[in-house]
Amino acid sequence: MTPIKECLVNKNTNTNPIWLMRQAGRYLPEFRDIRKHNTNFITLCLNSDLSETITLQPIERFNFDAAIIFSDILMVPYGLGQKVEFKKNFGPNLGEIDLNVLSSINELTFSQRLSPIYKLLKNLTKSKKLENKDLIGFVGAPWTLLVYMINKISPKNGLSEIFYNDPGLIDELLRLLDKFIKIHIKNQVNSGATIIQIFDSWAGLIKKDFDKYLYDPTVSLVNYTKELGVPVVCFPRGITDYPKFCEIVKPDMVNIDYNTKPEKLIENIDIPIQGGMDPKILLTDKKKLRYEVLRYLKIFRDHPYVFNLGHGILPETQIDMVDELVKIVREFK
Ligand code: 1CP
């Protein structure tokens, strides 16, 4: 059994596997090198060979316990026919929604558009470099994808004023997202993903109708993934009540964010926990890093715990701090 499955399935507390959200990305010089010559991000995500190289880069450097495929949550809106672009120093920029286009997409067309992602997974299952490691597939949660699809740009400065103006559009998009995210999960599992992580990076923006936007859509995906026989990890970033989330949604593991106090949680959550440490700690010094990493490891000493961060690793992170992080986690007894 892989170290993460030991933790997740067997609830083994003697092992602290490690991988990092956004481990395949901009803090790696070898990624920046490839990116320099591949200015179109979507095209890069649809290049199975380069995506394989990028997925394996952090494994080769740090020997993490899992590879997460190099892709993006916005590949689902792309597969549905919405224009998706990534602008330098700006982030994602999505096109207008044409419900006629989106509603006319069928499973076959969608799966064909995203087929390089499934090829990437199939190729990775043959890689010797992933022996005894997990291969993580992922999706954005319906709420977070709804946010990008309607807001068109990152909501880091808040949702646009007109976000809730068209309830019919919201309902139709949520219906389409449930259907096509499930197809994307199924295709990833059939192509070799051994764990599915659901990123709800903007769950913290939900202020009302939690059933409609957070619980119901996530329960639907979690139950579906469990039926496929693959463990599912949820990352509802920014929510205030993780115990309630776990009780309602029942994922196999929950990834906590860095605003969540870990010592309180273990009393109220009985499923395996992943993550938590503020990625900004990696921008400080080795002493502070050791203190924080050990703090998390000690708190979770008797709780199944996968080391990870409370959000993605920051692009300005230095490699030697990641080396140090891995060393501290591996040496912890
Ligand atoms: O070079 C570049 O400019 C591209 C940067 C980049 C990278 C490396 C983007 C654009 N996406 C990715 C890869 C990516 N995205 C992965 C690869 C696997 C890994 O984790 O190593 C994953 C899992 C994602 C998932 C993702 N994309 C999320 C959920 C996780 C999170 O960080 O919250 C989100 C919100 C996105 C949207 C997105 N894509 C890219 C950016 C810069 C963003 C965030 C934009 C924003 O701030 O709203």
Side-chain angles (χ1 to χ4, degrees), residues 131-298:
E131 247 167 61
N132 204 32
K133 295 186 191 298
D134 279 289
L135 178 53
I136 303 176
F138 66 89
V139 293
W143 163 258
T144 286
L145 291 185
L146 183 76
V147 163
Y148 281 108
M149 290 175 84
I150 296 186
N151 208 60
K152 313 284 197 301
I153 58 171
S154 171
K156 57 187 173 213
N157 299 319
L159 288 175
S160 82
E161 274 167 29
I162 58 150
F163 187 81
Y164 291 104
N165 275 11
D166 188 346
L169 175 70
I170 290 181
D171 288 348
E172 180 60 9
L173 288 179
L174 284 175
R175 195 187 63 77
L176 283 170
L177 284 168
D178 180 68
K179 175 176 168 192
F180 285 94
I181 293 171
K182 282 178 182 163
I183 293 171
H184 194 39
I185 291 174
K186 179 183 71 183
N187 289 340
Q188 292 185 71
V189 169
N190 288 343
S191 308
T194 63
I195 292 176
I196 293 291
Q197 178 141 335
I198 301 175
F199 289 98
D200 210 350
S201 304
W202 297 105
L205 292 176
I206 306 174
K207 302 292 175 221
K208 57 174 188 186
D209 301 333
F210 285 86
D211 285 336
K212 173 172 174 172
Y213 295 120
L214 177 66
Y215 297 127
D216 294 352
T218 316
V219 166
S220 174
L221 298 185
V222 164
N223 288 345
Y224 180 78
T225 311
K226 285 182 180 171
E227 276 168 28
L228 298 175
V230 168
V232 53
V233 183
C234 283
F235 179 43
R237 185 172 76 97
I239 62 166
T240 49
D241 198 342
Y242 273 91
K244 184 174 176 192
F245 178 90
C246 293
E247 218 175 282
I248 295 177
V249 177
K250 299 190 173 57
D252 293 292
M253 179 157 73
V254 67
N255 195 121
I256 56 173
D257 62 61
Y258 55 85
N259 286 320
T260 305
K261 298 252 176 305
E263 56 276 47
K264 287 220 176 107
L265 275 189
I266 34 172
E267 295 161 21
N268 302 315
I269 294 186
D270 57 6
I271 62 170
I273 294 177
Q274 171 174 284
M277 193 181 85
D278 191 337
K280 286 198 200 74
I281 299 292
L282 285 163
L283 307 182
T284 61
D285 55 69
K286 290 188 177 163
K287 198 170 159 225
K288 180 102 179 82
L289 176 68
R290 175 168 295 271
Y291 178 85
E292 272 299 297
V293 175
L294 290 179
R295 192 168 75 82
Y296 274 90
L297 291 172
K298 284 175 193 162

Side-chain angles (χ1 to χ4, degrees), residues 29-209:
E30 57 270 36
F31 169 76
R32 293 197 297 267
D33 225 40
I34 293 182
R35 184 76 167 99
K36 213 167 49 198
H37 307 291
N38 294 272
T39 48
N40 185 322
F41 185 73
I42 295 281
T43 311
L44 180 56
C45 287
L46 293 174
N47 180 327
S48 315
D49 291 334
L50 282 179
S51 295
E52 180 175 351
T53 304
I54 297 170
T55 301
L56 293 172
Q57 282 173 347
I59 304 301
E60 279 158 11
R61 230 186 225 275
F62 307 113
N63 193 26
F64 289 130
D65 292 296
I68 179 160
I69 55 163
F70 177 75
S71 181
D72 200 88
I73 60 167
L74 298 179
M75 295 312 286
V76 164
Y78 169 84
L80 281 169
Q82 188 176 13
K83 196 170 169 191
V84 180
E85 284 178 328
F86 289 86
K87 293 191 176 158
K88 208 172 159 56
N89 303 324
F90 180 78
N93 197 183
L94 283 73
E96 289 304 314
I97 293 174
D98 184 342
L99 268 188
N100 289 327
V101 173
L102 266 65
S103 306
S104 70
I105 303 283
N106 59 27
E107 173 164 356
L108 187 65
T109 318
F110 175 85
S111 299
Q112 275 170 350
R113 274 200 190 161
L114 301 190
S115 61
I117 304 176
Y118 313 132
K119 181 160 176 254
L120 161 69
L121 277 156
K122 284 186 193 131
N123 293 346
L124 282 165
T125 56
K126 296 184 210 121
S127 172
K128 283 255 178 315
K129 293 172 184 153
L130 296 184
E131 247 167 61
N132 204 32
K133 295 186 191 298
D134 279 289
L135 178 53
I136 303 176
F138 66 89
V139 293
W143 163 258
T144 286
L145 291 185
L146 183 76
V147 163
Y148 281 108
M149 290 175 84
I150 296 186
N151 208 60
K152 313 284 197 301
I153 58 171
S154 171
K156 57 187 173 213
N157 299 319
L159 288 175
S160 82
E161 274 167 29
I162 58 150
F163 187 81
Y164 291 104
N165 275 11
D166 188 346
L169 175 70
I170 290 181
D171 288 348
E172 180 60 9
L173 288 179
L174 284 175
R175 195 187 63 77
L176 283 170
L177 284 168
D178 180 68
K179 175 176 168 192
F180 285 94
I181 293 171
K182 282 178 182 163
I183 293 171
H184 194 39
I185 291 174
K186 179 183 71 183
N187 289 340
Q188 292 185 71
V189 169
N190 288 343
S191 308
T194 63
I195 292 176
I196 293 291
Q197 178 141 335
I198 301 175
F199 289 98
D200 210 350
S201 304
W202 297 105
L205 292 176
I206 306 174
K207 302 292 175 221
K208 57 174 188 186
D209 301 333

Side-chain angles (χ1 to χ4, degrees), residues 2 20-21 277 323:
T2 62
L20 303 180
M21 291 192 281
M277 193 181 85
D323 279 325

